[in-house]
Amino acid sequence: GTGFIVDKSGLIVTNSHVVDDASKSYAVVLNNGKTIYDVKKIHVDESADLAIIEITAQNLPVVEFGDSNNIMVGQTAIAIGNALGRYQNTVTLGVVSGVARQLKASDGYGNSKVYENVIQTDAAVNPGNSGGPLLDSAGRVIGINVATTIGAENISFSIPINTLKPIL
């Protein structure tokens, strides 16, 4: 999975389905591939499929939030993540294809979840990109990558960043 830093002292956002196995211990690896932090605590909001991970750090680079209420179909969308869990720091470019979509996502094991009000994009999102940021052309986070569509090319979905703001 992927995440992004929202506080310089070590708060990281991802999807709850990325860190949903309580029997596992987790570590955060920064995009340089060398800096590794043990996870202190994980706060989960399963209904929103969001998780806030705490690590102990200082002066980490943080993202800037955009406003997902103001996004428009056709605007630039940039997805960042660890595609397939093998290709870290993958960046794909596309457009916002739809707003306020409803999505029923399945994990392949018979479990499914309905997402309301998600952003649809044609920026390629693959397994491993979950929890990564969807950015606007100014580099501000407008969404959290959450799902892709099997059997189609470049139909992906993100949770609007404004869903995260009150949780954070």
Side-chain angles (χ1 to χ4, degrees):
T2 305
F4 52 94
I5 303 166
V6 297
D7 182 270
K8 64 182 179 177
S9 62
L11 290 182
I12 299 160
V13 171
T14 190
N15 294 124
S16 64
H17 75 262
V18 170
V19 291
D20 64 356
D21 189 343
S23 68
K24 291 184 179 180
S25 60
Y26 293 95
V28 171
V29 180
L30 296 188
N31 65 354
N32 65 15
K34 298 175 184 165
T35 308
I36 301 173
Y37 296 93
D38 290 327
V39 172
K40 284 185 359 182
K41 190 166 187 178
I42 301 173
H43 306 272
V44 175
D45 184 329
E46 289 183 18
S47 64
D49 196 4
L50 294 172
I52 300 169
I53 297 171
E54 287 185 47
I55 62 173
T56 302
Q58 294 178 5
N59 299 318
L60 294 174
V62 299
V63 296
E64 180 182 343
F65 290 160
D67 184 351
S68 54
N69 290 340
N70 293 326
I71 62 173
M72 296 182 299
V73 173
Q75 81 174 64
T76 300
I78 304 160
I80 299 178
N82 295 309
L84 307 176
R86 295 183 295 196
Y87 306 110
Q88 64 186 81
N89 303 320
T90 298
V91 178
T92 59
L93 177 67
V95 297
V96 171
S97 305
V99 295
R101 298 280 199 223
Q102 183 184 58
L103 167 68
K104 182 176 180 181
S106 173
D107 65 3
Y109 299 104
N111 302 311
S112 64
K113 176 173 179 35
V114 175
Y115 295 87
E116 301 286 345
N117 196 37
V118 294
I119 302 164
Q120 179 186 337
T121 180
D122 70 346
V125 171
N126 298 286
N129 285 92
S130 288
L134 183 70
L135 309 170
D136 64 15
S137 60
R140 296 174 299 226
V141 180
I142 56 171
I144 302 106
N145 301 325
V146 71
T148 190
T149 303
I150 296 174
E153 291 188 29
N154 298 341
I155 300 176
S156 303
F157 301 92
S158 298
I159 299 165
I161 196 64
N162 289 5
T163 302
L164 170 69
K165 289 176 181 179
I167 295 168
L168 188 60

